[in-house]
Amino acid sequence: MTGSRRVLILGGTAEATTLAGRLVAAGGWAVTTSLAGRTGRPAPVPGALRIGGFGGVEGLTRHLIDEDVALLIDATHPFAAQMAANAAAAATRAGVPRIKLLRPAWHPRPGDDWIDVADTLSAARVLAGLPRGPAFLTIGRKDLAPFAATGRPLVIRSIEDPGPVPTGTIVLAARGPFDIGAETALMHAHGIAVLVTKNAGGEATAAKLAAARALSLPVVMIARPPAPDGPVVTGVDAAIDLAYTLVNNPS
Ligand code: NAP
């Protein structure tokens, strides 16, 4: 790897994996992807892999310096707000250029019935005013508590086991991508009355929105946390272009 520029990709997304593959294939980069370690069996990632938290801003700053990282690419999920903030602060402290790769958000289309909310607490609150029947929660396994308190039947889909859930809750373990036919059939089979989702964006999990549209179901859409200041790109190609610019023309 002599002469290669060290790039640390904060991953946990499909884009991060694609990006790692593209940089490894391009050559000239020593690519390491970092995962939080939340999933038991992570998908294979091209290049080197490290797993587990860094120990806050302090730990990540030390890692960037000790590992001689030339570029940090934060390609974490749009809702991984803590990691994004830590990445921004640590990159500044270590004097390492940083790119935030943030896939575009979803936007409503004709026929959609979205209720936009700021966070999971508000999402649980608005359920009280929506048609009775099971809520389909596709918000991961954290932040489920407010929904348990609604007393509404829940169908939860999550990659990992969400742990204890209210009696009668249906838990579906699945990882995208999902297609419209299967999503529509699933919502129909469970008699879903409302879909609750985070505005993750991306193609892999967008079929549920089309299914809700087809079934005329309301969608409670949880807004993204704001991204930290600094350069943001919305796709892998743009991230690669900016990566070359930043390492070739450090300011
Ligand atoms: P978070 O709340 O923003 O981060 C919490 C802590 O987890 C961070 O402070 C950091 O610990 C550690 N961490 C997070 N991402 C990491 C990474 N890529 N490498 C090493 N440590 C990481 O994060 P989260 O929302 O729990 O997401 C965790 C991971 O799951 C991320 O990789 C994210 O891309 C992925 N993911 C998240 C969601 C979601 O909805 N939030 C959905 C799909 C995938 P230290 O402070 O100790 O460094």
Side-chain angles (χ1 to χ4, degrees):
M1 286 296 179
T2 313
S4 295
R5 292 155 294 198
R6 291 197 172 277
V7 56
L8 177 65
I9 301 174
L10 303 175
T13 58
E15 294 87 337
T17 307
T18 303
L19 179 61
R22 293 271 302 276
L23 290 176
V24 167
W29 298 93
V31 182
T32 299
T33 297
S34 174
L35 300 178
R38 303 273 195 274
T39 49
R41 286 174 293 110
V45 176
L49 180 65
R50 68 160 300 284
I51 296 182
F54 296 93
V57 175
E58 205 58 54
L60 180 54
T61 305
R62 221 171 26 244
H63 181 96
L64 294 174
I65 295 168
D66 291 351
E67 298 296 320
D68 199 21
V69 172
L71 176 66
L72 176 63
I73 306 183
D74 172 9
T76 53
H77 190 271
F79 281 79
Q82 184 63 59
M83 189 70 252
N86 290 0
T92 302
R93 283 201 204 173
V96 170
R98 173 187 59 93
I99 298 171
K100 175 69 193 165
L101 170 52
L102 192 61
R103 65 173 86 126
W106 292 318
H107 296 285
R109 299 197 187 160
D112 279 333
D113 175 14
W114 287 15
I115 299 109
D116 292 312
V117 296
D119 50 35
T120 44
L121 270 182
S122 314
R125 225 175 280 131
V126 300
L127 285 184
L130 294 174
R132 295 163 66 89
F136 184 26
L137 304 187
T138 62
I139 58 169
R141 61 178 165 162
K142 297 194 294 187
D143 306 321
L144 293 171
F147 298 95
T150 63
R152 183 185 281 261
L154 302 175
V155 177
I156 295 170
R157 181 167 66 199
S158 132
I159 296 174
E160 297 288 307
D161 182 352
V165 292
T167 312
T169 297
I170 295 170
V171 176
L172 308 171
R175 186 199 294 263
F178 304 105
D179 68 66
I180 296 172
E183 291 291 63
T184 309
L186 185 151
M187 291 188 205
H188 184 69
H190 289 285
I192 297 300
V194 53
L195 168 67
V196 180
T197 179
K198 299 192 282 197
N199 196 334
E203 290 302 315
T205 60
K208 62 190 166 188
L209 305 176
R213 189 180 311 127
L215 296 168
S216 301
L217 298 180
V219 176
V220 178
M221 183 61 72
I222 302 170
R224 295 171 167 201
D229 291 342
V232 175
V233 295
T234 56
V236 169
D237 286 342
I240 291 171
D241 286 350
L242 186 54
Y244 282 106
T245 303
L246 290 176
V247 299
N248 290 333
N249 310 299
S251 54

